């Protein structure tokens, strides 16, 4: 059974924004991306693919420590205690610049300099 299934998948298909956290020598580094961008590139099994515009610090952090966390939420997904569900995803990430991956992303996001690929290993539902 995959990690991105059921409520987790439903949430990712409805979230407006995702928060991305990496860690480097100076501590946690936080960036974001739009949920629409995630959906346009697709959720591939337990892998998330996002366009990367800048993300220079994120890339630097992932080179030395590939651990990554993603926080997503949506009020349109039923939570445990009413409307609204959140999810914290744990996994590993990398910034990819190979031609095939980048061409695919640039078709939808011409401004992208790279692709952020996240392999999700574990999910914690919140709210």
């Amino acid at each position: 059974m995959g990690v991105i299934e059921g409520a987790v998948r439903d949430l990712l298909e409805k979230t407006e924004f995702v928060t991305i956290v990496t860690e480097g020598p100076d501590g946690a580094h936080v960036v974001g991306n739009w949920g629409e961008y995630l959906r346009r590139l697709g959720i591939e099994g337990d892998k998330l693919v996002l366009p990367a515009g800048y993300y220079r610090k994120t890339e630097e952090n992932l080179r030395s420590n590939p651990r990554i966390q993603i926080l997503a939420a949506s009020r349109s997904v039923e939570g445990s205690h009413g409307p609204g569900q959140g999810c914290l995803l744990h996994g590993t990430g990398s910034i990819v610049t190979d031609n095939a991956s980048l061409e695919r992303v640039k078709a939808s996001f011409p401004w992208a300099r790279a692709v952020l690929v996240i392999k999700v290993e574990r999910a914690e539902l919140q709210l």
Side-chain angles (χ1 to χ4, degrees), residues 54-66:
Y54 293 100
Y55 286 8
R56 302 284 185 197
K57 186 71 171 170
T58 301
E59 182 175 21
E60 180 183 323
N61 288 348
L62 290 172
R63 265 192 248 122
S64 60
N65 177 2

Side-chain angles (χ1 to χ4, degrees), residues 37-57:
Y37 291 4
L38 172 66
R39 288 185 291 280
R40 281 172 61 188
L41 293 177
I43 301 166
E44 304 167 357
D46 286 335
K47 183 171 72 171
L48 305 178
V49 179
L50 289 162
Y54 293 100
Y55 286 8
R56 302 284 185 197
K57 186 71 171 170

Side-chain angles (χ1 to χ4, degrees), residues 2-116:
V3 178
I4 301 177
E5 293 183 356
V8 174
R9 184 169 193 91
D10 191 28
L11 190 143
L12 289 173
E13 289 175 351
K14 294 178 179 166
T15 190
E16 290 185 16
F17 186 81
V18 294
T19 303
I20 303 161
V21 182
T22 59
E23 187 162 352
D26 299 327
H29 177 69
V30 180
V31 295
N33 213 310
W34 297 110
E36 175 192 344
Y37 291 4
L38 172 66
R39 288 185 291 280
R40 281 172 61 188
L41 293 177
I43 301 166
E44 304 167 357
D46 286 335
K47 183 171 72 171
L48 305 178
V49 179
L50 289 162
Y54 293 100
Y55 286 8
R56 302 284 185 197
K57 186 71 171 170
T58 301
E59 182 175 21
E60 180 183 323
N61 288 348
L62 290 172
R63 265 192 248 122
S64 60
N65 177 2
R67 304 302 307 158
I68 194 167
Q69 292 181 326
I70 307 295
L71 182 64
S74 175
R75 292 186 62 80
S76 51
V77 175
E78 189 66 26
S80 306
H81 307 289
Q85 181 69 66
C87 183
L88 178 61
L89 304 173
H90 303 265
T92 56
S94 62
I95 298 289
V96 177
T97 57
D98 70 77
N99 287 341
S101 299
L102 195 51
E103 280 181 32
R104 177 177 164 241
V105 169
K106 280 188 169 284
S108 294
F109 306 99
W111 49 262
R113 70 166 187 91
V115 184
L116 173 59

